[in-house]
Amino acid sequence: HGVTTMVNGSGRGWDEALKQQKLSNQNKINAPRMFPIRDWGPSRSRDPGKMPNSDKMKKWHDTNPQNITKLAKKLIKCAKSNGADAVKLEGRMPEIIKAIVRADIPVMGHLGLLPQTATKYSVQGKTELDVENLLDDAKALQEAGVFSLVLEMVTSEATKKVTKILSVPTIGIGCGQYCDGQVLVIHDMLGLFEKLKPKFVKRYLSLSEEIKKSISQYVKDVENGTFPSDEHSFHMEMQS
């Protein structure tokens, strides 16, 4: 069961993420091999101060399977040199998924809350009709060829039904216990954000408080002259 973040937990970015992916290849980390691809897709680039090319952003919203397959091939060719294994697509797009799979590119599906396009973050699968639609979407993606399916913010009851009817594994975030695997955003799990606390997240630490306390203490130490002390200073070599 993995804890995945698009921004490396250590804050060291792209190079560190690739190192983690290599460790995963060596079975030294029991987590999905997922890491950021810079300048692709509709999301903001994970590199500070850098945005994806607008033309590329528009192309990802193209509904033509041939066009999206060409772009996916280009992405995979670029990403494979750094160890990427697959692409993940949000929503019900069976024809596009089929085209990408035919091009020998593995696809992971994503249903429930779709954060890339959602205008409101709300729980999915709350009514019988919602569940029926979700089951229909899940079967369509499996038939299209996804190798696994992410479910996000879906009721536990609906998740159980989806997992039961599928032969491919389900990975849940905010979906209860009835998934084949679980994933959390490490920044939520470690309490790095104070204002955002989703119901489905269990906080194992409150790092934001610890960070604020540490910075406050640092400022005090500098102001009262206790830091840097001799312990943290360098000295010239003594001349004989």
Side-chain angles (χ1 to χ4, degrees):
H1 303 312
V3 179
T4 302
T5 172
M6 289 302 290
V7 180
N8 187 266
S10 65
R12 286 176 284 179
W14 174 257
D15 291 337
E16 183 64 21
L18 291 180
K19 289 179 183 178
Q20 295 300 312
Q21 194 269 343
K22 289 179 181 178
L23 289 175
S24 178
N25 275 341
Q26 298 165 7
N27 291 322
K28 294 181 179 179
I29 298 176
N30 186 24
R33 287 180 288 178
M34 300 174 70
F35 57 89
I37 302 298
R38 295 175 290 185
D39 298 328
W40 291 91
S43 296
R44 182 180 179 123
S45 170
R46 306 303 172 179
D47 286 347
K50 200 172 184 181
M51 289 290 287
N53 180 283
S54 59
D55 290 334
K56 291 176 182 176
M57 292 170 65
K58 291 176 183 177
K59 288 176 183 177
W60 275 109
H61 295 281
D62 195 329
T63 57
N64 185 315
Q66 289 185 334
N67 292 343
I68 204 74
T69 302
K70 288 179 181 178
L71 190 59
K73 283 183 177 180
K74 188 175 181 181
L75 184 152
I76 287 296
K77 183 178 180 180
C78 169
K80 272 190 173 180
S81 62
N82 286 314
D85 299 313
V87 295
K88 182 168 78 68
L89 301 180
E90 292 186 1
R92 178 170 177 161
M93 297 184 287
E95 294 308 313
I96 290 175
I97 291 172
K98 287 178 183 177
I100 295 175
V101 171
R102 282 197 297 269
D104 295 323
I105 300 171
V107 178
M108 173 184 276
H110 188 136
L111 292 175
L113 177 72
L114 308 179
Q116 297 296 322
T117 55
T119 57
K120 182 180 179 181
Y121 279 52
S122 57
V123 177
Q124 309 294 302
K126 296 177 75 172
T127 69
E128 289 295 333
L129 180 59
D130 290 340
V131 175
E132 288 179 16
N133 290 333
L134 183 63
L135 291 171
D136 189 52
D137 290 345
K139 287 187 284 187
L141 295 195
Q142 177 171 267
E143 290 171 4
V146 298
F147 66 86
S148 66
L149 179 66
V150 172
L151 295 172
E152 183 165 354
M153 280 185 67
V154 175
T155 60
S156 181
E157 295 84 358
T159 299
K160 186 176 183 179
K161 291 181 179 181
V162 172
T163 301
K164 186 176 181 179
I165 67 165
L166 296 184
S167 59
V168 298
T170 56
I171 307 297
I173 176 168
C175 296
Q177 61 180 312
Y178 299 111
C179 286
D180 297 304
Q182 299 287 337
V183 65
L184 280 179
V185 177
I186 197 170
H187 300 73
D188 295 336
M189 187 184 79
L190 299 181
L192 280 167
F193 300 130
E194 290 183 340
K195 295 182 179 180
L196 181 65
K197 187 180 179 183
K199 172 183 170 64
F200 60 82
V201 172
K202 180 177 180 179
R203 283 191 175 176
Y204 290 83
L205 287 174
S206 296
L207 286 185
S208 62
E209 285 298 319
E210 294 300 315
I211 290 170
K212 286 196 295 185
K213 288 179 183 178
S214 298
I215 293 173
S216 178
Q217 187 60 51
Y218 164 72
V219 172
K220 290 178 181 178
D221 288 350
V222 171
E223 290 178 342
N224 63 30
T226 58
F227 178 83
S229 64
D230 190 66
E231 177 188 357
H232 309 103
S233 302
F234 299 99
H235 298 282
M236 294 175 60
E237 295 180 0
M238 296 297 294
Q239 299 296 318
S240 57

